[in-house]
Amino acid sequence: MTFEPTCQQLAFVLPESFMKAELTFQKRSAPESEIHLVVRPNQRARQVVSTRQLSQGLWKVMLNWWDGKSHYWTEKDINVL
């Protein structure tokens, strides 16, 4: 995952075999305020998600994806200015 703060977007690459993915944004100072986004397969391996709706502060981003057989995940902290 790559956070591009000047473009207000988060980019990531998923394998062609992924069937479904979900992003969860969790603000570190308010963990109860989560935002969930479903990512559906399209023609591109590189996915881009806008972060414009996120308020300023430190956020934990969790990416979960499935390929029909196995479940994978990764996480990253981003600082929205």
Side-chain angles (χ1 to χ4, degrees), residues 6-78:
T6 56
C7 299
Q8 294 182 315
Q9 57 187 338
L10 183 75
F12 53 93
V13 176
L14 292 171
E16 289 182 16
S17 62
F18 96 95
M19 300 180 79
K20 183 180 174 187
E22 181 179 75
L23 277 169
T24 302
F25 294 88
Q26 185 180 64
K27 192 162 188 181
R28 291 291 189 171
S29 63
E32 67 281 354
S33 61
E34 289 186 348
I35 298 171
H36 297 273
L37 300 174
V38 175
V39 179
R40 305 246 183 249
N42 59 27
Q43 303 299 336
R44 300 180 179 163
R46 183 175 187 263
Q47 308 292 319
V48 178
V49 174
S50 173
T51 58
R52 291 179 196 270
Q53 76 277 13
L54 301 179
S55 61
Q56 290 184 345
L58 186 61
W59 290 80
K60 178 167 91 171
V61 183
M62 296 160 280
L63 173 62
N64 296 288
W65 71 96
W66 300 264
D67 66 3
K69 297 178 186 175
S70 299
H71 175 247
Y72 305 91
W73 67 273
T74 187
E75 59 184 59
K76 180 181 185 85
D77 287 333
I78 63 171

